[in-house]
Coordinates of all heavy atoms in Angstrom, one line a residue:
M1 N 121.5 100.2 83.5 CA 120.9 98.8 83.3 C 120.2 98.8 81.9 O 119.5 99.5 81.5 CB 119.9 98.5 84.3 CG 119.8 97.0 84.7 SD 118.9 96.7 86.2 CE 118.1 95.3 85.8
E2 N 120.6 97.7 81.3 CA 120.0 97.5 79.9 C 118.6 97.2 79.7 O 118.1 96.4 80.5 CB 120.9 96.4 79.2 CG 120.7 96.3 77.6 CD 121.2 94.9 77.2 OE1 122.2 94.5 77.9 OE2 120.8 94.5 76.1
K3 N 117.8 97.8 78.9 CA 116.3 97.6 78.8 C 116.1 96.7 77.7 O 116.5 97.0 76.6 CB 115.6 99.0 78.7 CG 115.5 99.7 79.9 CD 114.0 99.5 80.4 CE 113.8 100.2 81.7 NZ 112.8 99.7 82.5
T4 N 115.6 95.5 78.0 CA 115.2 94.6 76.9 C 113.8 94.3 77.0 O 113.1 94.6 78.1 CB 116.0 93.4 76.9 OG1 116.4 93.1 78.3 CG2 117.3 93.5 76.1
T5 N 113.1 93.8 75.9 CA 111.7 93.5 75.9 C 111.5 92.0 76.2 O 112.4 91.3 75.7 CB 111.1 93.8 74.6 OG1 111.7 94.9 74.0 CG2 109.6 94.3 74.8
F6 N 110.6 91.7 77.1 CA 110.3 90.2 77.1 C 109.7 89.7 75.9 O 108.9 90.3 75.2 CB 109.4 90.0 78.4 CG 109.8 90.0 79.7 CD1 109.7 91.2 80.5 CD2 110.6 89.1 80.1 CE1 110.4 91.3 81.8 CE2 111.2 89.0 81.4 CZ 111.0 90.2 82.2
H7 N 110.0 88.4 75.6 CA 109.5 87.8 74.4 C 108.0 87.4 74.8 O 107.1 87.3 74.0 CB 110.2 86.6 74.1 CG 111.6 86.9 73.5 ND1 111.7 87.6 72.2 CD2 112.7 86.8 73.9 CE1 113.1 87.9 72.0 NE2 113.6 87.2 73.0
Y8 N 107.8 87.1 76.1 CA 106.6 86.8 76.6 C 106.5 87.7 77.9 O 107.4 88.0 78.6 CB 106.2 85.5 76.8 CG 107.1 84.8 77.9 CD1 106.4 84.6 79.2 CD2 108.5 84.5 77.7 CE1 107.3 84.0 80.2 CE2 109.3 84.0 78.7 CZ 108.6 83.8 80.0 OH 109.4 83.3 81.0
Q9 N 105.2 87.9 78.5 CA 105.1 88.7 79.6 C 104.9 87.6 80.9 O 103.8 87.0 80.8 CB 103.9 89.7 79.5 CG 103.6 90.5 80.8 CD 104.9 91.2 81.2 OE1 105.3 92.1 80.5 NE2 105.5 90.9 82.4
P10 N 105.7 87.4 81.6 CA 105.5 86.4 82.7 C 104.5 87.1 83.8 O 104.5 88.2 84.0 CB 106.9 86.3 83.4 CG 107.8 87.3 82.9 CD 107.1 88.0 81.7
M11 N 103.6 86.2 84.0 CA 102.5 86.7 85.0 C 102.7 86.2 86.5 O 103.2 85.1 86.7 CB 101.1 86.3 84.5 CG 100.9 86.6 83.1 SD 100.8 88.5 82.8 CE 99.2 88.7 83.1
C12 N 102.1 87.0 87.4 CA 102.2 86.6 88.8 C 101.5 85.3 89.0 O 100.4 85.0 88.3 CB 101.5 87.7 89.6 SG 101.3 87.3 91.4
S13 N 102.0 84.3 89.8 CA 101.2 83.1 90.1 C 100.3 83.0 91.3 O 99.6 82.1 91.3 CB 102.4 82.1 90.6 OG 103.6 82.1 89.8
A14 N 100.1 84.2 91.8 CA 99.0 84.2 92.8 C 97.6 84.0 92.2 O 97.3 84.6 91.1 CB 99.0 85.5 93.5
P15 N 96.8 83.3 92.9 CA 95.4 83.2 92.4 C 94.7 84.6 92.1 O 94.8 85.4 92.9 CB 94.6 82.4 93.4 CG 95.7 81.8 94.4 CD 96.9 82.7 94.2
H16 N 94.1 84.6 90.8 CA 93.2 85.7 90.6 C 94.0 87.0 90.3 O 93.5 88.1 90.3 CB 92.2 86.0 91.5 CG 91.4 84.8 91.9 ND1 90.6 84.0 91.1 CD2 91.2 84.1 93.2 CE1 90.1 83.0 91.7 NE2 90.4 83.0 93.0
C17 N 95.3 86.9 90.3 CA 96.1 88.0 90.0 C 96.6 88.0 88.5 O 97.2 87.0 88.2 CB 97.3 88.1 91.0 SG 98.4 89.6 90.6
D18 N 96.3 89.0 87.8 CA 96.8 89.0 86.4 C 97.9 90.1 86.2 O 98.0 90.6 85.2 CB 95.7 89.1 85.5 CG 94.9 90.3 85.7 OD1 95.2 91.3 86.6 OD2 93.8 90.5 85.0
A19 N 98.6 90.6 87.2 CA 99.6 91.5 87.1 C 100.9 90.9 86.7 O 101.1 89.7 86.7 CB 99.9 92.0 88.5
A20 N 101.7 91.6 86.1 CA 103.0 91.2 85.5 C 103.9 90.8 86.6 O 104.0 91.4 87.7 CB 103.7 92.3 84.7
A21 N 104.6 89.7 86.5 CA 105.6 89.2 87.5 C 106.8 89.9 87.5 O 107.3 90.5 86.5 CB 105.9 87.7 87.3
V22 N 107.3 90.3 88.6 CA 108.5 91.1 88.8 C 109.6 90.3 89.5 O 110.7 90.4 89.3 CB 108.2 92.4 89.8 CG1 109.5 93.3 89.7 CG2 107.2 93.2 89.2
Y23 N 109.1 89.3 90.3 CA 110.1 88.4 90.9 C 109.9 86.9 90.5 O 108.7 86.5 90.4 CB 110.0 88.5 92.4 CG 110.2 90.0 92.8 CD1 109.1 90.7 93.2 CD2 111.4 90.5 92.9 CE1 109.2 92.1 93.6 CE2 111.6 91.8 93.4 CZ 110.4 92.6 93.7 OH 110.6 94.0 94.1
K24 N 110.9 86.1 90.7 CA 110.9 84.7 90.6 C 111.0 84.2 92.1 O 112.0 84.8 92.7 CB 111.9 84.1 89.7 CG 111.9 82.7 89.8 CD 113.0 82.1 88.8 CE 112.4 81.9 87.4 NZ 113.2 81.0 86.6
V25 N 110.2 83.4 92.6 CA 110.3 82.8 93.9 C 111.0 81.5 93.6 O 110.6 80.6 93.0 CB 108.9 82.5 94.5 CG1 109.3 82.1 95.9 CG2 108.2 83.8 94.4
A26 N 112.2 81.3 94.2 CA 113.1 80.1 94.0 C 114.0 79.9 95.0 O 114.3 80.7 95.9 CB 113.7 80.3 92.6
A27 N 114.6 78.5 95.0 CA 115.7 78.2 96.0 C 116.8 77.6 95.2 O 116.6 76.8 94.2 CB 115.1 77.3 97.0
P28 N 118.1 78.0 95.5 CA 119.2 77.3 94.9 C 119.2 75.9 95.2 O 119.2 75.4 96.3 CB 120.4 78.1 95.5 CG 119.9 78.7 96.7 CD 118.4 78.9 96.7
W29 N 119.3 75.1 94.1 CA 119.3 73.6 94.2 C 120.5 73.1 93.6 O 121.1 73.7 92.5 CB 118.1 73.1 93.4 CG 117.9 71.7 93.3 CD1 117.4 70.8 94.1 CD2 118.6 70.8 92.2 NE1 117.5 69.5 93.6 CE2 118.2 69.6 92.5 CE3 119.3 71.3 91.0 CZ2 118.7 68.5 91.6 CZ3 119.7 70.3 90.3 CH2 119.4 68.8 90.5
S30 N 121.0 72.1 94.2 CA 122.1 71.3 93.5 C 122.1 69.8 93.7 O 121.6 69.4 94.8 CB 123.5 71.9 94.2 OG 124.6 71.1 93.7
N31 N 122.5 69.1 92.7 CA 122.6 67.6 93.0 C 124.2 67.2 93.2 O 124.5 66.1 93.0 CB 122.0 66.9 91.8 CG 122.6 67.1 90.5 OD1 123.5 67.8 90.4 ND2 122.1 66.4 89.5
G32 N 125.1 68.2 93.3 CA 126.5 67.9 93.5 C 127.2 68.1 92.2 O 128.3 68.4 92.2
K33 N 126.5 68.0 91.1 CA 127.2 68.1 89.8 C 126.7 69.5 89.2 O 127.5 70.3 88.8 CB 126.7 67.0 88.8 CG 127.2 65.7 89.1 CD 127.1 64.7 88.1 CE 127.3 63.3 88.5 NZ 126.1 62.7 89.2
S34 N 125.3 69.6 89.0 CA 124.9 71.0 88.6 C 124.1 71.8 89.5 O 123.6 71.2 90.5 CB 124.0 70.6 87.3 OG 123.1 69.7 87.6
R35 N 124.1 73.1 89.3 CA 123.3 73.9 90.2 C 122.3 74.6 89.4 O 122.6 75.1 88.3 CB 124.3 74.9 90.9 CG 125.5 74.3 91.4 CD 126.5 75.4 91.9 NE 126.0 76.1 93.0 CZ 126.1 75.7 94.2 NH1 126.7 74.6 94.5 NH2 125.6 76.4 95.2
E36 N 121.1 74.8 89.9 CA 120.1 75.7 89.3 C 119.1 76.2 90.2 O 119.4 75.9 91.4 CB 119.3 74.8 88.2 CG 118.7 73.5 88.8 CD 118.3 72.7 87.5 OE1 118.9 72.1 86.8 OE2 116.9 72.7 87.4
L37 N 118.3 77.0 89.8 CA 117.1 77.4 90.8 C 116.0 76.6 90.8 O 115.4 76.2 89.6 CB 116.8 78.9 90.4 CG 117.7 80.0 90.6 CD1 117.3 81.4 90.3 CD2 118.2 79.9 92.1
K38 N 115.4 76.1 91.9 CA 114.2 75.4 91.9 C 113.0 76.5 92.0 O 113.0 77.2 92.9 CB 114.2 74.5 93.1 CG 112.8 73.7 93.1 CD 113.0 72.5 94.1 CE 111.5 71.8 94.2 NZ 111.0 71.3 92.9
N39 N 112.3 76.4 91.0 CA 111.3 77.5 90.7 C 110.0 77.3 91.6 O 109.4 76.2 91.5 CB 111.0 77.6 89.3 CG 110.2 78.9 89.0 OD1 109.9 79.8 89.9 ND2 109.8 79.1 87.7
Y40 N 109.6 78.2 92.5 CA 108.4 78.0 93.2 C 107.3 79.0 92.7 O 106.2 79.1 93.3 CB 108.6 78.2 94.5 CG 109.4 77.1 95.3 CD1 110.7 77.1 95.6 CD2 108.6 76.1 95.7 CE1 111.4 76.0 96.0 CE2 109.2 75.0 96.3 CZ 110.6 74.9 96.5 OH 111.2 73.9 97.1
G41 N 107.6 79.6 91.6 CA 106.5 80.5 91.1 C 106.9 81.9 90.8 O 108.2 82.2 91.1
L42 N 106.1 82.7 90.4 CA 106.4 84.1 90.0 C 105.5 84.9 90.8 O 104.4 84.7 91.3 CB 106.1 84.4 88.6 CG 107.0 83.6 87.6 CD1 106.4 83.6 86.2 CD2 108.5 83.9 87.7
A43 N 106.0 86.2 91.1 CA 105.2 87.2 92.0 C 105.3 88.5 91.4 O 106.4 89.0 90.9 CB 105.6 87.1 93.4
C44 N 104.2 89.3 91.6 CA 104.2 90.7 91.3 C 104.6 91.5 92.6 O 104.8 90.8 93.6 CB 102.8 91.2 90.7 SG 101.6 91.1 92.2
E45 N 104.7 92.7 92.5 CA 105.2 93.5 93.7 C 104.2 93.3 94.9 O 104.6 93.2 96.0 CB 105.2 94.9 93.2 CG 105.9 96.0 94.2 CD 107.5 95.7 94.1 OE1 108.0 95.7 92.9 OE2 108.1 95.4 95.1
A46 N 103.0 93.3 94.6 CA 101.9 93.1 95.7 C 101.9 91.8 96.4 O 101.6 91.6 97.5 CB 100.5 93.4 95.2
H47 N 102.3 90.6 95.6 CA 102.3 89.2 96.1 C 103.5 88.7 96.4 O 103.7 87.6 96.6 CB 101.6 88.5 95.1 CG 100.0 88.7 95.0 ND1 99.5 89.2 93.9 CD2 99.1 88.6 95.9 CE1 98.2 89.4 94.1 NE2 97.9 88.9 95.4
R48 N 104.7 89.4 96.5 CA 106.0 88.8 96.7 C 106.0 88.3 98.0 O 106.6 87.1 98.2 CB 107.1 89.9 96.3 CG 106.9 91.1 97.3 CD 108.0 92.0 96.9 NE 108.9 92.2 98.2 CZ 110.0 93.0 98.3 NH1 110.4 93.7 97.4 NH2 110.7 93.0 99.4
D49 N 105.5 88.8 99.1 CA 105.7 88.4 100.3 C 104.8 87.0 100.6 O 105.2 86.1 101.1 CB 105.3 89.4 101.4 CG 106.4 90.5 101.4 OD1 107.6 90.2 101.2 OD2 106.1 91.6 101.9
S50 N 103.5 87.0 100.1 CA 102.6 86.0 100.2 C 103.1 84.8 99.4 O 103.1 83.6 99.8 CB 101.2 86.4 99.9 OG 101.1 86.9 98.6
Q51 N 103.7 85.1 98.2 CA 104.1 84.0 97.4 C 105.5 83.4 97.9 O 105.7 82.2 97.9 CB 104.5 84.5 95.9 CG 103.3 84.8 95.1 CD 102.4 83.5 94.9 OE1 101.3 83.4 95.5 NE2 102.9 82.7 94.0
L52 N 106.2 84.3 98.7 CA 107.4 83.7 99.2 C 107.1 82.9 100.5 O 107.6 81.8 100.6 CB 108.3 85.0 99.8 CG 109.6 84.6 100.4 CD1 110.6 83.9 99.6 CD2 110.3 85.9 101.0
A53 N 106.1 83.3 101.2 CA 105.6 82.5 102.4 C 105.2 81.1 101.9 O 105.5 80.1 102.6 CB 104.6 83.2 103.2
L54 N 104.4 81.2 100.8 CA 103.9 79.9 100.3 C 105.1 79.0 99.8 O 104.9 77.8 100.1 CB 102.9 80.3 99.1 CG 101.8 79.2 98.6 CD1 100.8 79.1 99.7 CD2 101.2 79.8 97.4
A55 N 105.8 79.5 99.2 CA 107.0 78.8 98.6 C 107.8 78.1 99.8 O 108.3 77.0 99.8 CB 108.0 79.7 97.7
Q56 N 108.0 78.9 100.9 CA 108.7 78.4 102.0 C 107.9 77.1 102.7 O 108.6 76.3 103.2 CB 108.9 79.5 103.2 CG 110.1 80.5 102.7 CD 110.1 81.8 103.4 OE1 109.1 82.2 103.9 NE2 111.2 82.4 103.3
L57 N 106.7 77.2 102.6 CA 105.9 76.1 103.1 C 106.1 74.8 102.2 O 106.3 73.7 102.7 CB 104.4 76.4 103.1 CG 103.8 77.1 104.2 CD1 102.3 77.4 104.0 CD2 104.0 76.3 105.5
H58 N 106.1 75.0 100.9 CA 106.3 74.0 100.0 C 107.8 73.3 100.1 O 108.0 72.3 100.0 CB 106.1 74.5 98.5 CG 104.8 74.6 98.1 ND1 104.4 75.2 96.9 CD2 103.5 74.5 98.8 CE1 103.1 75.1 96.9 NE2 102.5 74.9 98.1
R59 N 108.7 74.3 100.4 CA 110.0 74.1 100.4 C 110.3 73.0 101.7 O 111.0 72.1 101.6 CB 110.8 75.3 100.6 CG 112.2 75.1 101.3 CD 113.2 74.6 100.4 NE 114.5 74.5 101.2 CZ 114.8 73.5 102.0 NH1 113.9 72.6 102.2 NH2 116.0 73.6 102.5
Q60 N 109.5 73.3 102.8 CA 109.6 72.6 104.0 C 109.2 71.1 103.7 O 109.6 70.2 104.4 CB 108.8 73.1 105.1 CG 109.5 74.3 105.7 CD 108.5 75.1 106.7 OE1 107.6 74.5 107.2 NE2 109.0 76.4 107.0
G61 N 108.1 71.0 102.8 CA 107.6 69.6 102.6 C 108.3 68.8 101.5 O 108.1 67.8 101.2
L62 N 109.4 69.4 101.0 CA 110.2 68.8 99.9 C 111.1 67.8 100.4 O 111.7 67.8 101.4 CB 111.0 69.9 99.2 CG 111.7 69.4 98.0 CD1 110.8 69.3 96.8 CD2 112.9 70.5 97.7
K63 N 110.9 66.6 99.6 CA 111.8 65.5 99.9 C 113.0 65.5 99.0 O 112.8 65.5 97.7 CB 111.0 64.1 99.8 CG 110.0 63.9 100.9 CD 109.7 62.4 101.1 CE 108.9 62.1 102.3 NZ 107.9 63.2 102.7
L64 N 114.1 65.4 99.5 CA 115.3 65.5 98.5 C 115.9 64.1 98.2 O 115.8 63.2 99.2 CB 116.4 66.4 99.1 CG 116.2 67.8 99.4 CD1 117.2 68.5 100.1 CD2 116.0 68.6 98.0
A65 N 116.2 64.0 97.0 CA 116.9 62.7 96.7 C 118.3 62.7 97.2 O 118.9 63.8 97.6 CB 116.9 62.5 95.2
E66 N 118.9 61.6 97.2 CA 120.2 61.4 97.8 C 121.3 62.3 96.9 O 121.2 62.2 95.8 CB 120.8 60.0 97.7 CG 122.0 59.9 98.7 CD 122.2 58.2 99.1 OE1 121.2 57.8 99.2 OE2 123.4 57.8 99.0
G67 N 122.1 63.1 97.6 CA 123.0 64.0 97.0 C 122.4 65.4 96.6 O 123.1 66.2 96.2
E68 N 121.1 65.6 96.8 CA 120.6 66.8 96.5 C 120.6 67.8 97.7 O 120.4 67.3 98.8 CB 119.1 66.7 96.0 CG 118.8 66.1 94.7 CD 117.4 66.2 94.2 OE1 116.5 66.2 95.2 OE2 117.1 66.1 93.1
T69 N 120.8 69.0 97.3 CA 120.8 69.9 98.5 C 120.0 71.1 97.9 O 120.0 71.5 96.8 CB 122.2 70.5 98.8 OG1 122.9 71.0 97.7 CG2 123.0 69.5 99.6
I70 N 119.3 71.8 98.8 CA 118.6 73.0 98.4 C 118.6 74.1 99.4 O 118.6 73.8 100.6 CB 117.1 72.6 98.1 CG1 116.3 73.8 97.4 CG2 116.2 72.1 99.4 CD1 115.1 73.3 96.7
G71 N 118.8 75.4 99.0 CA 119.1 76.5 100.0 C 117.7 77.1 100.4 O 116.7 76.6 99.8
P72 N 117.8 78.1 101.1 CA 116.6 78.8 101.5 C 115.9 79.5 100.1 O 116.6 80.0 99.4 CB 117.0 79.8 102.5 CG 118.6 80.0 102.4 CD 118.9 78.7 101.7
V73 N 114.5 79.6 100.3 CA 113.8 80.2 99.3 C 114.0 81.6 99.4 O 114.1 82.2 100.5 CB 112.2 79.9 99.5 CG1 111.3 80.5 98.4 CG2 112.0 78.4 99.5
G74 N 114.1 82.4 98.2 CA 114.2 83.7 98.2 C 113.6 84.3 97.0 O 113.1 83.6 96.1
L75 N 113.7 85.7 96.9 CA 113.1 86.4 95.7 C 114.2 86.7 94.7 O 115.2 87.2 95.2 CB 112.4 87.6 96.1 CG 111.1 87.4 97.0 CD1 110.6 88.7 97.7 CD2 109.9 86.8 96.1
Y76 N 114.1 86.5 93.4 CA 115.0 86.9 92.5 C 114.3 87.7 91.5 O 113.2 87.6 91.0 CB 115.5 85.5 91.8 CG 116.2 84.6 92.6 CD1 115.6 83.9 93.5 CD2 117.6 84.6 92.5 CE1 116.3 82.9 94.3 CE2 118.3 83.7 93.3 CZ 117.8 82.9 94.2 OH 118.4 82.1 95.1
E77 N 115.0 88.7 91.1 CA 114.6 89.9 90.3 C 114.5 89.3 88.8 O 115.5 88.8 88.3 CB 115.5 91.0 90.3 CG 114.7 92.3 90.5 CD 115.6 93.5 90.7 OE1 116.6 93.5 91.6 OE2 115.4 94.6 90.1
L78 N 113.4 89.3 88.2 CA 113.3 88.8 86.9 C 114.0 89.8 85.9 O 113.9 91.0 86.1 CB 111.8 88.6 86.4 CG 111.1 87.5 86.9 CD1 109.5 87.6 86.4 CD2 111.7 86.1 86.4
A79 N 114.7 89.2 84.9 CA 115.4 90.0 84.1 C 115.3 89.3 82.6 O 115.5 88.2 82.6 CB 116.7 90.4 84.5
A80 N 114.9 90.1 81.6 CA 114.7 89.5 80.3 C 116.1 89.0 79.8 O 117.0 89.6 80.0 CB 114.1 90.5 79.3
G81 N 116.1 87.8 79.1 CA 117.3 87.3 78.5 C 118.3 86.8 79.5 O 119.4 86.4 79.2
K82 N 118.0 86.7 80.8 CA 119.0 86.2 81.7 C 118.6 84.8 82.2 O 117.6 84.4 82.3 CB 119.1 87.1 83.0 CG 119.8 88.3 82.8 CD 120.3 88.9 84.1 CE 121.2 90.2 83.9 NZ 121.6 90.7 85.1
R83 N 119.6 84.1 82.3 CA 119.5 82.7 82.9 C 119.4 82.7 84.3 O 119.7 83.8 84.9 CB 120.8 81.8 82.5 CG 120.8 81.4 80.9 CD 122.1 80.6 80.6 NE 123.3 81.3 81.0 CZ 124.2 80.8 81.8 NH1 124.0 79.6 82.4 NH2 125.3 81.5 82.2
D84 N 118.8 81.7 84.9 CA 118.5 81.6 86.3 C 119.7 82.1 87.1 O 119.7 82.8 88.2 CB 117.9 80.2 86.8 CG 116.6 80.1 86.5 OD1 115.8 81.0 85.9 OD2 116.0 79.0 86.8
A85 N 120.8 81.5 86.8 CA 122.0 81.6 87.6 C 122.5 83.0 87.6 O 123.3 83.3 88.4 CB 123.2 80.8 86.9
E86 N 121.9 83.9 86.6 CA 122.4 85.2 86.5 C 121.4 86.2 87.3 O 121.6 87.4 87.3 CB 122.6 85.7 85.1 CG 123.6 84.8 84.3 CD 123.5 85.1 82.8 OE1 122.3 85.4 82.3 OE2 124.5 85.1 82.2
L87 N 120.3 85.7 87.7 CA 119.3 86.6 88.3 C 119.8 87.0 89.7 O 120.5 86.3 90.5 CB 117.9 85.9 88.6 CG 117.2 85.4 87.2 CD1 116.0 84.7 87.7 CD2 117.1 86.4 86.3
A88 N 119.5 88.3 90.0 CA 120.0 88.8 91.3 C 118.9 88.4 92.4 O 117.7 88.7 92.3 CB 120.0 90.4 91.2
R89 N 119.6 87.9 93.5 CA 118.7 87.7 94.7 C 118.5 88.8 95.6 O 119.5 89.5 95.9 CB 119.4 86.4 95.4 CG 118.6 85.8 96.5 CD 119.2 84.8 97.2 NE 118.4 84.4 98.5 CZ 117.8 83.3 98.7 NH1 117.9 82.3 97.8 NH2 117.2 83.0 99.9
L90 N 117.3 89.0 96.0 CA 117.0 90.1 97.0 C 117.5 89.7 98.4 O 117.4 88.6 98.6 CB 115.5 90.4 97.0 CG 115.0 91.5 96.0 CD1 115.2 91.1 94.6 CD2 113.4 91.7 96.3
P91 N 118.0 90.6 99.0 CA 118.4 90.4 100.5 C 117.2 89.8 101.2 O 116.1 90.1 101.0 CB 118.7 91.6 100.9 CG 118.8 92.7 99.8 CD 118.1 92.1 98.7
D92 N 117.4 88.7 102.0 CA 116.3 88.0 102.8 C 116.0 89.1 103.8 O 116.6 89.9 104.3 CB 116.9 86.9 103.6 CG 117.2 85.7 102.5 OD1 116.4 85.6 101.5 OD2 118.3 85.2 102.6
H93 N 114.6 89.1 104.1 CA 114.1 90.1 105.1 C 113.2 89.4 106.0 O 112.9 88.2 105.8 CB 113.5 91.3 104.4 CG 112.3 90.9 103.5 ND1 112.6 90.4 102.3 CD2 110.9 91.0 103.7 CE1 111.4 90.2 101.6 NE2 110.4 90.4 102.5
Ligands
ZN1 ZN1 100.2 89.3 92.0

């Protein structure tokens, strides 16, 4: 795997945590024309499960506009220089 340096260091979104983020918490979103990831925050190794649970709560309360679809929230491995669409999704557990 290619090693690259982050231009900036993404941090975990959990309150009072200043650890480096390892995962993006996101759900695949589409409006029928374009697809992207709806971002629910970033998580370090220690907070990935709690951040995922929090995002799943937010996801349930989300109101979608007509034509919009959103998939289940999951964890995506952050990788420097990669677009959202290229991030690897961790298997759901
Ligand atoms: Zn954290």
Side-chain angles (χ1 to χ4, degrees):
M1 210 165 144
E2 191 187 337
K3 279 260 180 202
T4 30
T5 331
F6 278 105
H7 292 292
Y8 68 101
Q9 180 59 63
M11 305 300 273
C12 176
S13 308
H16 313 300
C17 179
D18 56 4
V22 186
Y23 303 105
K24 172 179 276 202
V25 187
W29 171 93
S30 173
N31 65 358
K33 295 191 193 81
S34 52
R35 312 169 70 79
E36 54 187 74
L37 289 179
K38 183 166 172 57
N39 191 4
Y40 284 98
L42 299 169
C44 67
E45 199 68 55
H47 287 115
R48 52 179 248 181
D49 291 332
S50 55
Q51 288 300 102
L52 180 62
L54 201 65
Q56 280 162 344
L57 276 181
H58 287 179
R59 159 77 183 79
Q60 284 169 17
L62 183 75
K63 288 203 175 29
L64 291 171
E66 196 159 324
E68 282 186 341
T69 52
I70 190 160
V73 181
L75 294 166
Y76 293 78
E77 231 172 314
L78 281 178
K82 281 200 173 182
R83 291 179 297 121
D84 278 0
E86 301 171 325
L87 297 182
R89 183 180 172 117
L90 265 63
D92 294 321
H93 57 283

